[in-house]
Amino acid sequence: MKPLLPGSTIGVLGSGQLGRMFAIAARRLGYRVHTYSPDRDTPTGQIADIEIDAPYEDLDRVRAFAAAVDVVTFEFENVPAPTADAAASAAPVRPAGLVLHTTQHRLREKTFLETHGFPVTKFAAIRQPGDLATAWPGFGSAILKTAGFGYDGKGQYRVTTLEEAEAAWTAMNRQEAVLEALVDFEAELSVVAVRSEDGSCALYAPSANSHVAGILDISVAPGPFPEHIAAQAQEIARGLLEQLNVTGVLCVEFFLTKDHRLLINELAPRPHNSGHLTIDACITSQFEQQLRAVCNLPLGSTEMFRPAAMANLLGDIWGNGEPNWAAALAMPEVKLHLYGKLAARPGRKMGHLTATAATPAQAERLVREARARLAS
Ligand code: AMP
Protein backbone atom coordinates (compact mmCIF):
# COMPACT_ATOMS: atom_id res chain seq x y z
CA MET A 1 0.00 0.00 0.00
CA LYS A 2 1.19 3.55 -0.72
CA PRO A 3 1.99 5.53 2.45
CA LEU A 4 -1.00 7.37 3.86
CA LEU A 5 0.27 10.88 4.28
CA PRO A 6 -0.76 13.57 6.78
CA GLY A 7 -4.21 14.83 5.91
CA SER A 8 -5.49 11.24 5.56
CA THR A 9 -8.20 9.97 7.87
CA ILE A 10 -7.75 7.12 10.35
CA GLY A 11 -10.73 5.21 11.72
CA VAL A 12 -10.46 3.86 15.26
CA LEU A 13 -12.77 1.07 16.44
CA GLY A 14 -13.20 1.62 20.15
CA SER A 15 -13.15 4.88 22.07
CA GLY A 16 -11.18 4.47 25.31
CA GLN A 17 -7.90 5.92 26.50
CA LEU A 18 -5.79 3.98 24.02
CA GLY A 19 -7.74 5.52 21.16
CA ARG A 20 -7.44 8.91 22.84
CA MET A 21 -3.66 8.78 23.07
CA PHE A 22 -3.53 7.42 19.50
CA ALA A 23 -5.77 10.28 18.31
CA ILE A 24 -3.57 12.86 20.06
CA ALA A 25 -0.52 11.44 18.26
CA ALA A 26 -2.37 11.31 14.92
CA ARG A 27 -3.74 14.85 15.23
CA ARG A 28 -0.27 16.12 16.09
CA LEU A 29 1.00 14.70 12.81
CA GLY A 30 -1.82 16.32 10.87
CA TYR A 31 -4.16 13.34 10.41
CA ARG A 32 -7.89 13.28 10.87
CA VAL A 33 -9.45 10.73 13.21
CA HIS A 34 -12.90 9.14 13.29
CA THR A 35 -13.90 6.90 16.18
CA TYR A 36 -16.66 4.29 16.40
CA SER A 37 -18.13 2.80 19.58
CA PRO A 38 -21.48 2.47 21.30
CA ASP A 39 -20.81 5.54 23.49
CA ARG A 40 -20.60 9.30 23.23
CA ASP A 41 -18.36 11.99 24.74
CA THR A 42 -15.72 9.29 25.00
CA PRO A 43 -11.99 9.61 25.74
CA THR A 44 -11.26 9.14 22.02
CA GLY A 45 -14.30 11.08 20.80
CA GLN A 46 -13.19 14.17 22.72
CA ILE A 47 -10.07 14.30 20.52
CA ALA A 48 -11.38 12.88 17.25
CA ASP A 49 -12.82 14.90 14.36
CA ILE A 50 -15.88 12.66 14.26
CA GLU A 51 -17.34 10.40 16.94
CA ILE A 52 -19.82 7.78 15.82
CA ASP A 53 -22.04 6.40 18.55
CA ALA A 54 -23.51 3.13 17.25
CA PRO A 55 -23.53 -0.55 18.22
CA TYR A 56 -20.72 -2.80 16.96
CA GLU A 57 -23.44 -5.10 15.66
CA ASP A 58 -24.80 -2.43 13.28
CA LEU A 59 -22.71 -3.65 10.35
CA ASP A 60 -24.16 -1.09 7.89
CA ARG A 61 -22.96 1.72 10.15
CA VAL A 62 -19.59 -0.01 10.52
CA ARG A 63 -19.23 -0.26 6.72
CA ALA A 64 -20.19 3.40 6.32
CA PHE A 65 -17.66 4.36 9.01
CA ALA A 66 -14.91 2.41 7.23
CA ALA A 67 -15.86 3.80 3.81
CA ALA A 68 -15.28 7.33 5.13
CA VAL A 69 -11.68 6.70 6.27
CA ASP A 70 -8.40 5.64 4.62
CA VAL A 71 -7.46 2.90 7.10
CA VAL A 72 -9.10 1.35 10.16
CA THR A 73 -7.29 0.39 13.33
CA PHE A 74 -8.64 -0.57 16.74
CA GLU A 75 -7.88 0.29 20.31
CA PHE A 76 -9.23 -2.80 22.04
CA GLU A 77 -9.02 -6.38 20.87
CA ASN A 78 -12.53 -7.44 21.73
CA VAL A 79 -14.02 -5.87 18.64
CA PRO A 80 -16.40 -8.62 17.43
CA ALA A 81 -15.12 -10.50 14.38
CA PRO A 82 -18.13 -9.59 12.16
CA THR A 83 -17.47 -5.90 12.97
CA ALA A 84 -13.83 -6.18 11.91
CA ASP A 85 -14.90 -8.08 8.77
CA ALA A 86 -17.51 -5.44 7.87
CA ALA A 87 -14.88 -2.72 8.29
CA ALA A 88 -12.44 -4.72 6.14
CA SER A 89 -14.98 -4.83 3.32
CA ALA A 90 -14.70 -1.03 3.00
CA ALA A 91 -11.12 -0.13 4.10
CA PRO A 92 -7.84 -1.80 5.05
CA VAL A 93 -7.93 -2.92 8.72
CA ARG A 94 -4.61 -2.91 10.55
CA PRO A 95 -3.58 -5.10 12.22
CA ALA A 96 -5.57 -7.61 10.14
CA GLY A 97 -8.47 -9.55 11.59
CA LEU A 98 -6.35 -12.69 12.00
CA VAL A 99 -4.36 -11.06 14.80
CA LEU A 100 -7.60 -9.98 16.45
CA HIS A 101 -9.08 -13.45 16.08
CA THR A 102 -6.05 -15.09 17.70
CA THR A 103 -5.62 -12.66 20.57
CA GLN A 104 -9.22 -12.13 21.63
CA HIS A 105 -9.56 -15.70 22.85
CA ARG A 106 -7.16 -17.04 25.47
CA LEU A 107 -7.41 -20.63 24.35
CA ARG A 108 -6.76 -19.80 20.71
CA GLU A 109 -3.89 -17.55 21.72
CA LYS A 110 -2.26 -20.11 24.01
CA THR A 111 -2.71 -22.88 21.43
CA PHE A 112 -1.19 -20.66 18.74
CA LEU A 113 1.79 -19.87 20.98
CA GLU A 114 2.40 -23.49 21.94
CA THR A 115 2.00 -24.76 18.37
CA HIS A 116 4.55 -22.24 17.11
CA GLY A 117 7.09 -23.09 19.79
CA PHE A 118 6.69 -19.99 21.98
CA PRO A 119 7.11 -20.52 25.75
CA VAL A 120 3.86 -20.61 27.75
CA THR A 121 2.84 -21.99 31.12
CA LYS A 122 1.12 -25.37 31.13
CA PHE A 123 -2.58 -25.08 30.28
CA ALA A 124 -5.65 -27.19 29.51
CA ALA A 125 -8.87 -26.41 27.65
CA ILE A 126 -12.01 -26.73 29.77
CA ARG A 127 -15.07 -27.10 27.59
CA GLN A 128 -17.29 -29.80 29.05
CA PRO A 129 -18.00 -31.58 32.32
CA GLY A 130 -15.17 -33.98 33.01
CA ASP A 131 -12.45 -31.83 31.42
CA LEU A 132 -11.40 -30.38 34.80
CA ALA A 133 -11.20 -33.78 36.48
CA THR A 134 -9.16 -35.17 33.58
CA ALA A 135 -6.74 -32.23 33.50
CA TRP A 136 -6.41 -31.61 37.24
CA PRO A 137 -3.80 -34.30 38.21
CA GLY A 138 -1.17 -32.41 36.16
CA PHE A 139 -1.81 -29.15 38.05
CA GLY A 140 -1.08 -28.03 41.62
CA SER A 141 -2.06 -24.42 42.09
CA ALA A 142 -3.79 -23.02 39.06
CA ILE A 143 -5.81 -20.15 37.64
CA LEU A 144 -9.06 -20.77 35.83
CA LYS A 145 -9.72 -18.05 33.24
CA THR A 146 -12.61 -17.52 30.85
CA ALA A 147 -11.45 -18.19 27.29
CA GLY A 148 -13.03 -15.10 25.79
CA PHE A 149 -13.21 -11.40 26.59
CA GLY A 150 -10.80 -11.32 29.50
CA TYR A 151 -8.65 -8.39 30.54
CA ASP A 152 -7.20 -6.86 33.67
CA GLY A 153 -7.62 -10.07 35.62
CA LYS A 154 -11.40 -10.15 35.05
CA GLY A 155 -13.00 -13.61 34.86
CA GLN A 156 -10.12 -15.27 36.74
CA TYR A 157 -10.16 -17.56 39.75
CA ARG A 158 -7.18 -18.90 41.68
CA VAL A 159 -7.76 -22.50 42.69
CA THR A 160 -5.78 -25.09 44.65
CA THR A 161 -8.06 -28.14 44.60
CA LEU A 162 -10.23 -29.83 42.00
CA GLU A 163 -13.30 -28.94 44.11
CA GLU A 164 -12.37 -25.24 44.03
CA ALA A 165 -11.78 -25.46 40.31
CA GLU A 166 -15.21 -27.05 39.75
CA ALA A 167 -16.84 -24.36 41.91
CA ALA A 168 -15.02 -21.62 39.96
CA TRP A 169 -16.11 -23.10 36.65
CA THR A 170 -19.72 -23.18 37.87
CA ALA A 171 -19.36 -19.52 38.99
CA MET A 172 -18.38 -18.62 35.41
CA ASN A 173 -21.48 -20.40 34.11
CA ARG A 174 -19.44 -23.30 32.77
CA GLN A 175 -18.36 -21.28 29.77
CA GLU A 176 -15.29 -22.27 27.80
CA ALA A 177 -12.23 -21.73 30.00
CA VAL A 178 -8.49 -22.23 30.31
CA LEU A 179 -6.93 -23.93 33.29
CA GLU A 180 -3.47 -22.46 33.66
CA ALA A 181 -0.67 -23.54 36.02
CA LEU A 182 0.13 -20.82 38.53
CA VAL A 183 3.54 -19.35 37.72
CA ASP A 184 5.76 -18.64 40.71
CA PHE A 185 7.31 -15.65 39.03
CA GLU A 186 10.14 -13.37 40.04
CA ALA A 187 8.88 -10.52 37.88
CA GLU A 188 6.43 -9.56 35.18
CA LEU A 189 7.63 -7.69 32.13
CA SER A 190 6.36 -6.61 28.76
CA VAL A 191 7.76 -5.63 25.40
CA VAL A 192 5.92 -3.27 23.08
CA ALA A 193 6.78 -4.24 19.50
CA VAL A 194 5.87 -2.59 16.23
CA ARG A 195 5.98 -3.81 12.65
CA SER A 196 5.28 -2.02 9.42
CA GLU A 197 4.01 -3.46 6.18
CA ASP A 198 7.51 -3.82 4.72
CA GLY A 199 8.49 -6.05 7.66
CA SER A 200 10.68 -3.57 9.52
CA CYS A 201 10.33 -3.79 13.31
CA ALA A 202 10.87 -1.50 16.27
CA LEU A 203 11.14 -2.85 19.81
CA TYR A 204 10.97 -0.98 23.09
CA ALA A 205 13.03 -1.83 26.15
CA PRO A 206 11.17 -4.29 28.40
CA SER A 207 9.32 -2.63 31.24
CA ALA A 208 8.91 -4.21 34.67
CA ASN A 209 5.27 -4.36 35.63
CA SER A 210 3.55 -4.78 38.97
CA HIS A 211 -0.13 -5.53 39.34
CA VAL A 212 -2.63 -4.98 42.12
CA ALA A 213 -5.78 -7.11 42.06
CA GLY A 214 -4.99 -8.20 38.49
CA ILE A 215 -4.74 -4.61 37.21
CA LEU A 216 -1.46 -3.04 36.13
CA ASP A 217 -0.32 -0.64 38.84
CA ILE A 218 3.24 0.45 38.06
CA SER A 219 5.53 0.05 35.04
CA VAL A 220 9.21 0.89 35.12
CA ALA A 221 11.47 1.07 32.07
CA PRO A 222 14.00 -0.09 31.36
CA GLY A 223 13.18 -2.90 33.79
CA PRO A 224 16.05 -4.22 35.94
CA PHE A 225 16.65 -7.37 33.89
CA PRO A 226 19.93 -8.97 32.82
CA GLU A 227 20.81 -7.97 29.27
CA HIS A 228 20.35 -11.48 27.89
CA ILE A 229 16.81 -11.68 29.36
CA ALA A 230 15.87 -8.30 27.86
CA ALA A 231 17.28 -9.35 24.49
CA GLN A 232 15.47 -12.69 24.62
CA ALA A 233 12.14 -10.99 25.42
CA GLN A 234 12.63 -8.65 22.46
CA GLU A 235 13.51 -11.54 20.15
CA ILE A 236 10.37 -13.43 21.19
CA ALA A 237 8.31 -10.28 20.49
CA ARG A 238 9.95 -9.90 17.08
CA GLY A 239 9.21 -13.54 16.29
CA LEU A 240 5.56 -13.02 17.21
CA LEU A 241 5.24 -9.93 15.03
CA GLU A 242 6.41 -12.07 12.14
CA GLN A 243 4.42 -15.23 12.91
CA LEU A 244 1.24 -13.20 13.31
CA ASN A 245 2.12 -10.99 10.34
CA VAL A 246 1.30 -7.88 12.39
CA THR A 247 1.10 -4.47 10.79
CA GLY A 248 0.82 -2.31 13.86
CA VAL A 249 1.65 -2.65 17.54
CA LEU A 250 1.78 -5.86 19.55
CA CYS A 251 2.51 -5.99 23.27
CA VAL A 252 3.85 -9.22 24.71
CA GLU A 253 3.44 -9.74 28.45
CA PHE A 254 5.83 -12.17 30.12
CA PHE A 255 6.49 -13.83 33.42
CA LEU A 256 10.12 -14.20 34.43
CA THR A 257 10.27 -17.39 36.48
CA LYS A 258 12.49 -17.74 39.54
CA ASP A 259 14.84 -19.92 37.48
CA HIS A 260 15.05 -17.11 34.89
CA ARG A 261 12.91 -18.49 32.08
CA LEU A 262 10.54 -16.29 30.14
CA LEU A 263 6.96 -17.49 29.74
CA ILE A 264 4.43 -15.55 27.70
CA ASN A 265 1.38 -14.56 29.74
CA GLU A 266 -0.63 -12.85 27.03
CA LEU A 267 -0.59 -10.75 23.88
CA ALA A 268 -2.32 -7.47 23.11
CA PRO A 269 -2.52 -6.44 19.43
CA ARG A 270 -2.38 -2.72 20.22
CA PRO A 271 -0.54 -0.17 22.36
CA HIS A 272 -0.45 -1.26 25.98
CA ASN A 273 -0.79 0.32 29.38
CA SER A 274 2.83 -0.60 30.16
CA GLY A 275 3.90 1.45 27.12
CA HIS A 276 2.24 4.70 28.16
CA LEU A 277 5.56 5.92 29.54
CA THR A 278 6.92 5.97 25.98
CA ILE A 279 4.97 9.23 25.47
CA ASP A 280 7.16 11.12 27.92
CA ALA A 281 10.35 9.05 27.85
CA CYS A 282 11.01 7.93 24.25
CA ILE A 283 11.86 9.54 20.96
CA THR A 284 8.71 7.98 19.46
CA SER A 285 5.71 6.96 21.53
CA GLN A 286 3.92 3.63 21.05
CA PHE A 287 0.92 5.59 19.72
CA GLU A 288 2.90 7.43 17.08
CA GLN A 289 4.38 4.07 16.07
CA GLN A 290 0.88 2.64 15.66
CA LEU A 291 0.06 5.57 13.40
CA ARG A 292 3.26 5.19 11.39
CA ALA A 293 2.78 1.43 11.02
CA VAL A 294 -0.86 1.56 9.91
CA CYS A 295 -0.03 4.42 7.50
CA ASN A 296 2.92 2.52 6.05
CA LEU A 297 5.40 5.22 7.06
CA PRO A 298 8.92 4.59 8.39
CA LEU A 299 8.95 3.66 12.09
CA GLY A 300 10.56 6.00 14.62
CA SER A 301 13.29 5.38 17.16
CA THR A 302 12.29 3.62 20.39
CA GLU A 303 15.27 5.04 22.26
CA MET A 304 14.57 6.43 25.72
CA PHE A 305 15.60 9.95 26.66
CA ARG A 306 15.55 8.98 30.33
CA PRO A 307 14.45 6.04 32.49
CA ALA A 308 10.79 6.34 33.41
CA ALA A 309 8.04 4.99 35.61
CA MET A 310 4.27 5.06 35.15
CA ALA A 311 1.60 4.79 37.85
CA ASN A 312 -2.01 4.14 36.94
CA LEU A 313 -4.73 6.32 38.43
CA LEU A 314 -7.86 4.31 39.11
CA GLY A 315 -11.26 5.73 39.95
CA ASP A 316 -10.70 4.76 43.58
CA ILE A 317 -8.54 7.84 44.17
CA TRP A 318 -11.63 10.03 43.75
CA GLY A 319 -13.03 8.38 46.90
CA ASN A 320 -12.38 11.46 49.04
CA GLY A 321 -13.16 14.05 46.39
CA GLU A 322 -11.04 15.57 43.64
CA PRO A 323 -7.39 14.42 43.85
CA ASN A 324 -4.82 17.06 44.67
CA TRP A 325 -3.41 17.49 41.15
CA ALA A 326 -1.37 20.55 42.04
CA ALA A 327 0.56 18.62 44.69
CA ALA A 328 1.65 16.00 42.15
CA LEU A 329 2.41 18.57 39.48
CA ALA A 330 4.60 20.46 41.95
CA MET A 331 7.15 17.70 41.25
CA PRO A 332 8.83 18.97 38.08
CA GLU A 333 9.70 15.52 36.64
CA VAL A 334 6.11 14.31 36.83
CA LYS A 335 3.60 14.37 33.98
CA LEU A 336 -0.14 13.94 34.36
CA HIS A 337 -2.36 12.21 31.79
CA LEU A 338 -6.13 12.16 32.31
CA TYR A 339 -8.44 10.37 29.93
CA GLY A 340 -11.53 12.59 30.10
CA LYS A 341 -13.77 9.84 31.53
CA LEU A 342 -16.93 11.28 32.95
CA ALA A 343 -17.44 8.95 35.92
CA ALA A 344 -14.75 7.75 38.35
CA ARG A 345 -15.65 4.20 39.35
CA PRO A 346 -13.44 1.99 41.55
CA GLY A 347 -11.06 -0.04 39.38
CA ARG A 348 -11.65 2.14 36.29
CA LYS A 349 -8.51 3.47 34.61
CA MET A 350 -8.95 7.26 34.72
CA GLY A 351 -5.42 8.40 33.94
CA HIS A 352 -1.77 7.88 34.75
CA LEU A 353 1.31 9.69 36.00
CA THR A 354 4.76 9.37 34.45
CA ALA A 355 8.03 10.36 36.09
CA THR A 356 11.40 10.44 34.40
CA ALA A 357 14.70 10.40 36.29
CA ALA A 358 18.37 9.48 36.13
CA THR A 359 17.65 5.85 37.07
CA PRO A 360 14.59 3.58 36.79
CA ALA A 361 14.50 3.14 40.59
CA GLN A 362 14.48 6.90 41.11
CA ALA A 363 11.71 7.32 38.54
CA GLU A 364 9.65 4.73 40.41
CA ARG A 365 10.18 6.52 43.73
CA LEU A 366 9.10 9.80 42.17
CA VAL A 367 5.96 8.45 40.53
CA ARG A 368 4.90 6.69 43.73
CA GLU A 369 5.43 9.88 45.70
CA ALA A 370 3.45 11.88 43.11
CA ARG A 371 0.55 9.46 43.34
CA ALA A 372 0.64 9.53 47.14
CA ARG A 373 0.49 13.33 47.01
CA LEU A 374 -2.83 13.15 45.17
CA ALA A 375 -4.43 12.08 48.45
CA SER A 376 -2.94 15.00 50.41
P1 AMP B 1 -4.08 -11.57 32.79
O1 AMP B 1 -5.36 -10.77 32.68
O2 AMP B 1 -4.20 -12.96 32.30
O3 AMP B 1 -2.89 -10.84 32.25
O4 AMP B 1 -3.79 -11.68 34.36
C1 AMP B 1 -3.63 -10.54 35.17
C2 AMP B 1 -2.54 -10.79 36.20
O5 AMP B 1 -2.86 -11.94 37.01
C3 AMP B 1 -1.19 -11.09 35.61
O6 AMP B 1 -0.50 -9.95 35.20
C4 AMP B 1 -0.52 -11.80 36.79
O7 AMP B 1 -0.12 -10.88 37.77
C5 AMP B 1 -1.66 -12.64 37.33
N1 AMP B 1 -1.64 -13.96 36.64
C6 AMP B 1 -2.34 -14.31 35.53
N2 AMP B 1 -2.06 -15.57 35.14
C7 AMP B 1 -1.15 -16.06 36.01
C8 AMP B 1 -0.47 -17.31 36.16
N3 AMP B 1 -0.66 -18.36 35.33
N4 AMP B 1 0.40 -17.43 37.21
C9 AMP B 1 0.60 -16.41 38.07
N5 AMP B 1 -0.02 -15.21 37.99
C10 AMP B 1 -0.89 -15.02 36.99
Side-chain angles (χ1 to χ4, degrees), residues 106 121 143 145 151-153 156 158 180-183 185 188 211 214 253 255 265-266:
R106 287 187 200 278
T121 182
I143 302 194
K145 302 180 178 179
Y151 63 97
D152 285 346
Q156 301 195 5
R158 288 190 179 217
E180 214 180 281
L182 192 73
V183 180
F185 57 80
E188 290 189 81
H211 294 77
E253 291 182 62
F255 298 119
N265 173 26
E266 64 179 1

Side-chain angles (χ1 to χ4, degrees), residues 187-193 202-210 218-238 250-256 262 272 274-278 282 302-304 306-309 360:
E188 290 189 81
L189 58 146
S190 55
V191 171
V192 174
L203 299 148
Y204 288 89
S207 64
N209 304 326
S210 44
I218 302 269
S219 285
V220 180
F225 307 111
E227 221 166 276
H228 74 280
I229 295 286
Q232 201 183 328
Q234 289 184 322
E235 276 323 297
I236 290 172
R238 183 195 299 276
L250 178 79
C251 178
V252 187
E253 291 182 62
F254 298 92
F255 298 119
L256 180 62
L262 286 168
H272 190 259
S274 61
H276 291 356
L277 52 77
T278 61
C282 294
T302 57
E303 195 184 319
M304 296 189 82
R306 291 185 100 196

Side-chain angles (χ1 to χ4, degrees), residues 276-289:
H276 291 356
L277 52 77
T278 61
I279 297 175
D280 298 307
C282 294
I283 292 179
T284 319
S285 77
Q286 61 171 352
F287 300 100
E288 182 175 332
Q289 300 280 33

